[in-house]
């Protein structure tokens, strides 16, 4: 969206005029900007594609984390140019938060990918989504943001839904090293929660795209160093792997997380945290469509609990209500 400069008249003004009785149609970006909960939900569903695509890529945590960020940077820098021209550079405080958020994001990606092989995809997904409790807790402790009672009441229901969706009730831990996998998944959950909190906090300054580009650049650097030191780094992973990592970069980094960075500052912390639980729900759906996986009845029940809990825990209040229609032929026109 561009701001009107106020200079000039004629064509610039006439282009905004519409015929009587007609409304100027809004594009998808404008509609989402009016409905931040919808934008956040779309972002979470885009992020859910990363689990399936990373599973298909089958590469080291360092390689996957580095390339999914590095491949996204050119597009993010192009998207940041109009914001820079319009609003200038972000403040030092915003850049500092973005650098910290990028480091936390890299830690989340590396640790979670490591935990999948050690403890299984189900349990690692369940543990990392403890963010639904940790993010509102951070907002409460640091920003003194109140946590509504309805969220506290529905929180346990949501966590049960996450456990059922992960499939661990039926299969249990199924990795090579469950103890270390559990520890890595818990640490990933902490990094994930810090990343989400800082990402939301950094967007309060009004600028989003430039700080977010710094987040991804920082995550790429940290992932590269960590990959070289510990988590594995392959600079020639092959076309097929690169293609899948490019798909992760576009769906997750360029679209999904950018939408989350844009709309999470407009929502209460508990609402944003709950909406991000659409990620495991979307992953179950995509796994069924792309990989031919068949979710069990308990997993589908978990998805239903997440969706119901998300709605009643706070999304219902964040979703815009329809305005009452004005009577035709009345005096409502100004």
């Amino acid at each position: 969206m561009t701001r009107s400069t106020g200079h000039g008249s004629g064509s610039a003004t006439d282009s905004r005029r519409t015929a009587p009785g007609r409304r100027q149609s809004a594009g998808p970006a404008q509609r989402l900007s009016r409905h931040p909960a919808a934008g956040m939900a779309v972002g979470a569903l885009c992020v859910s594609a990363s689990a399936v695509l990373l599973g298909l890529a089958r590469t080291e945590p360092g390689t996957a984390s580095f390339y999914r960020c590095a491949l996204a940077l050119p597009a993010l820098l192009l998207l940041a140019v109009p914001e820079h021209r319009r609003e200038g550079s972000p403040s030092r405080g915003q850049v500092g938060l973005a650098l910290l958020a990028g480091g936390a994001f890299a830690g989340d990606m590396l640790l979670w990918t490591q935990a999948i092989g050690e403890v299984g995809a189900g349990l690692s997904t369940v543990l990392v989504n403890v963010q639904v409790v940790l993010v509102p807790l951070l907002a409460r402790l640091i920003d003194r943001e109140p946590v509504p009672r309805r969220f506290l009441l529905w929180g346990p229901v949501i966590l049960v839904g996450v456990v059922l969706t992960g499939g661990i009730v039926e299969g249990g831990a199924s990795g090579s090293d469950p103890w270390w996998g559990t520890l890595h998944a818990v640490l990933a959950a902490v990094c994930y929660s810090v990343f989400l909190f800082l990402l939301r906090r950094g967007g309060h300054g009004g600028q989003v795209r430039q700080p977010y580009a710094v987040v991804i650049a920082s995550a790429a650097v940290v992932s590269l160093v960590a990959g070289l030191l510990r988590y594995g780094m392959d600079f020639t992973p092959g076309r097929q792997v690169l293609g899948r990592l490019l798909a992760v970069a576009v769906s997750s980094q360029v679209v999904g997380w950018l939408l989350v960075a844009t709309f999470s500052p407009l929502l209460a912390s508990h609402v944003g945290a709950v909406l991000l639980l659409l990620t495991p729900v979307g992953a179950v759906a995509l796994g069924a469509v792309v990989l031919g996986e068949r979710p069990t009845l308990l997993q589908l029940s978990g998805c239903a609990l997440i969706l119901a809990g998300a709605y009643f825990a706070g999304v219902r209040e964040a979703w815009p209500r329809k305005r009452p229609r004005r009577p035709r032929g009345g005096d409502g026109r100004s």
Side-chain angles (χ1 to χ4, degrees):
M1 295 176 66
T2 57
R3 294 180 180 176
S4 175
T5 60
H7 297 292
S9 58
S11 61
T13 305
D14 294 337
S15 65
R16 293 190 296 267
R17 291 177 181 171
T18 55
R22 288 186 180 181
R23 292 183 180 178
Q24 202 171 14
S25 60
Q30 289 178 321
R31 286 194 291 269
L32 285 177
S33 66
R34 299 188 196 128
H35 311 317
M40 188 81 171
V42 172
L45 290 174
C46 290
V47 170
S48 67
S50 62
V52 174
L53 292 169
L54 287 172
L56 291 172
R58 295 181 181 179
T59 188
E60 297 89 350
T63 303
S65 300
F66 170 72
Y67 275 107
R68 63 186 288 189
C69 293
L71 292 172
L73 272 176
L76 293 176
L77 291 174
L78 285 176
L79 289 171
V81 169
E83 182 183 85
H84 177 73
R85 291 174 177 172
R86 187 174 61 246
E87 301 181 19
S89 302
S91 66
R92 290 183 180 180
Q94 283 181 298
V95 173
L97 287 177
L99 291 172
L100 291 175
F105 187 38
D108 164 49
M109 291 187 293
L110 293 163
L111 289 165
W112 181 60
T113 308
Q114 180 78 15
I116 290 175
E118 294 173 336
V119 78
L123 185 54
S124 63
T125 300
V126 169
L127 291 173
V128 81
N129 276 292
V130 174
Q131 62 83 18
V132 74
V133 175
L134 295 180
V135 173
L137 181 61
L138 285 172
R140 174 63 179 171
L141 293 175
I142 297 174
D143 293 335
R144 303 298 180 187
E145 183 179 317
V147 180
R149 183 182 178 189
R150 62 181 176 276
F151 174 77
L152 298 176
L153 292 175
W154 280 96
V157 176
I158 294 171
L159 290 176
V160 170
V162 173
V163 170
L164 293 177
T165 302
I168 61 172
V169 173
E170 298 158 307
S174 57
S176 60
D177 195 337
W179 193 93
W180 277 107
T182 300
L183 178 60
H184 288 149
V186 170
L187 292 175
V190 174
C191 291
Y192 187 38
S193 302
V194 172
F195 159 65
L196 293 174
F197 174 75
L198 294 176
L199 189 69
R200 175 175 175 270
R201 212 167 194 257
H204 286 157
Q207 294 168 317
V208 174
R209 295 181 181 181
Q210 294 176 86
Y212 177 69
V214 175
V215 169
I216 299 304
S218 173
V221 172
V222 173
S223 297
L224 175 61
V225 174
L228 291 172
L229 294 178
R230 176 179 172 82
Y231 290 94
M233 188 68 221
D234 184 1
F235 290 105
T236 57
R239 291 183 180 180
Q240 190 174 41
V241 173
L242 274 179
R244 287 165 178 170
L245 293 178
L246 177 61
V248 175
V250 173
S251 63
S252 183
Q253 265 60 37
V254 176
V255 179
W257 284 118
L258 182 56
L259 286 173
V260 173
T262 301
F263 295 111
S264 58
L266 306 178
L267 296 166
S269 61
H270 70 280
V271 175
V274 167
L275 281 170
L276 278 173
L277 290 181
L278 291 175
T279 300
V281 176
V284 169
L286 284 173
V289 173
V290 178
L291 303 178
E293 297 176 348
R294 293 292 176 264
T296 65
L297 182 60
L298 283 179
Q299 284 182 301
L300 294 175
S301 300
C303 292
L305 284 178
I306 289 175
L307 294 174
Y311 178 75
F312 289 108
V315 178
R316 180 175 59 175
E317 280 68 24
W319 212 269
R321 291 171 172 77
K322 293 183 179 180
R323 296 179 181 177
R325 294 182 178 178
R326 294 179 179 178
R328 295 181 179 178
D331 298 327
R333 296 180 181 178
S334 55

